[in-house]
Amino acid sequence: MIRAIRTGQRTRLGLNALTLLMVLLAAGCSTTPSSRYHIQNDRGPDGDVDLSHLKEPTPRKEPRSRGGNKSPYSVWGKTYYVMNTSDGYVEEGVASWYGTKFHGYKTSNGETYNMYDYTAAHKSLPLPTYVRVTNLENGRSVIVRVNDRGPFHGGRLIDLSYAAAKKLGYDKKGTARVRVEVVTEATTPAQVAHAATSKPVVTSAPTPTPTPTPTPSGAAQGYFLQVGAFSTELGAIKVRNHISSLLDAPVFVSKPETDSIYRVRVGPFVKEEEAARFLDILQRAAYPETMLIKRALNNPSI
């Protein structure tokens, strides 16, 4: 009798343990793996924040950070390259911003992201780099310190901190068309302001769509890749040298007599398919704004 009772107790205990195990397994299957971030969707702070007391960072020469400068590096299956130098870098494109989702987490170079600092993320500039970002829609500008990598989607050029986006006036709508230009430690605020008004506007094409150009009747044409346009010859030469180390193709700096813009181009290519192959390589590297153009072979600078 006693043995039968004990046997029944063991049976009930076994069933209870099995039931508990099934409950735990079911709970585990229904639980979503935790994310690195404590909130799912990014946003700005709750309510309006007065940032009038914030001061822009003072550009200075800093050694490359130990983190965030590996080249090449891959994100979501795409490979990116970090520039050897940022000298003379000027580019236009779309800027986005990031806020509370990333606030308090580590940036690519190991610092802690503070959405109330004037900082930014860029895919290919060395970390850290100081740049002046100008909102082309309203003329507002801000100097930020690039200490993070990104943005990696949507064809965006730079990701600004919430504070920087607010100063540029696009924190309510998410993105803006901007000009990004490197600022060196030797540049004073007055010189920066002067440069912003005196430099010609350098525009990178938003899409690599071939642009037909009228040429003299009978002139032979070829395909070229335009990597970027620069306001200084030094900046163009630096990029030309970098691309020459990546590609087995002619790379040159073009400067028409009619303007003061230095353009880095690759080519010529006889077949469009061959040019498209090199276009894909450059866009997968650090030059996503590279575009395919068709020009007269006897005057590729136009």
Side-chain angles (χ1 to χ4, degrees):
M1 181 68 177
I2 294 175
R3 179 179 296 178
I5 293 174
R6 288 178 176 173
T7 301
Q9 289 175 338
R10 286 198 298 270
T11 302
R12 287 194 298 272
L13 289 173
L15 289 173
N16 290 337
L18 180 60
T19 302
L20 178 60
L21 178 61
M22 293 178 65
V23 170
L24 291 175
L25 288 174
C29 292
S30 62
T31 302
T32 302
S34 59
S35 170
R36 174 191 175 195
Y37 305 106
H38 67 284
I39 61 175
Q40 183 176 2
N41 299 317
D42 198 13
R43 63 175 185 269
D46 296 330
D48 194 24
V49 179
D50 182 14
L51 302 178
S52 59
H53 63 286
L54 290 183
K55 294 183 178 180
E56 298 179 22
T58 301
R60 60 188 177 90
K61 188 173 184 179
E62 294 186 55
R64 289 198 176 199
S65 58
R66 304 181 80 177
N69 283 309
K70 178 183 177 182
S71 183
Y73 67 96
S74 298
V75 177
W76 299 335
K78 188 173 182 180
T79 302
Y80 300 89
Y81 292 82
V82 177
M83 297 178 183
N84 291 329
T85 178
S86 61
D87 293 348
Y89 175 84
V90 181
E91 191 168 357
E92 290 183 4
V94 177
S96 51
W97 61 268
Y98 57 133
T100 55
K101 178 177 180 178
F102 306 91
H103 185 69
Y105 291 88
K106 295 296 184 181
T107 61
S108 296
N109 73 343
E111 298 174 355
T112 300
Y113 174 63
N114 184 348
M115 66 180 181
Y116 301 117
D117 286 340
Y118 290 134
T119 59
H122 193 278
K123 292 183 286 288
S124 55
L125 283 172
L127 303 183
T129 296
Y130 292 87
V131 298
R132 183 178 187 87
V133 184
T134 302
N135 187 338
L136 298 178
E137 299 172 9
N138 57 23
R140 297 184 188 178
S141 63
V142 63
I143 293 178
V144 297
R145 182 173 176 268
V146 180
N147 67 345
D148 205 0
R149 288 289 172 227
F152 297 109
H153 54 81
R156 297 169 186 175
L157 174 63
I158 194 169
D159 220 359
L160 299 186
S161 64
Y162 166 77
K166 184 175 177 64
K167 183 159 187 177
L168 293 186
Y170 74 93
D171 55 301
K172 301 298 184 184
K173 64 176 187 175
T175 61
R177 186 80 181 170
V178 300
R179 181 191 306 124
V180 179
E181 44 196 334
V182 167
V183 182
T184 66
E185 72 281 2
T187 307
T188 65
Q191 290 172 326
V192 171
H194 173 71
T197 58
S198 60
K199 280 185 179 180
V201 175
V202 181
T203 305
S204 295
T207 57
T209 304
T211 304
T213 301
T215 57
S217 178
Q221 291 185 307
Y223 295 95
F224 296 83
L225 301 180
Q226 180 162 306
V227 182
F230 302 84
S231 60
T232 65
E233 184 177 15
L234 177 61
I237 291 174
K238 294 286 187 180
V239 172
R240 181 201 63 188
N241 293 343
H242 182 221
I243 294 174
S244 296
S245 67
L246 297 176
L247 303 180
D248 184 18
V251 186
F252 63 97
V253 176
S254 167
K255 181 184 176 299
E257 296 180 357
T258 55
D259 61 35
S260 57
I261 304 299
Y262 297 86
R263 296 173 175 84
V264 178
R265 289 178 174 170
V266 183
F269 303 97
V270 177
K271 297 182 178 180
E272 185 176 1
E273 294 78 9
E274 184 182 11
R277 181 169 65 87
F278 284 97
L279 174 66
D280 181 67
I281 294 174
L282 288 172
Q283 289 183 338
R284 288 177 180 273
Y287 305 97
E289 303 296 333
T290 303
M291 62 180 176
L292 179 65
I293 59 176
K294 194 173 183 181
R295 293 291 185 269
L297 293 176
N298 63 348
N299 190 11
S301 64
I302 59 175

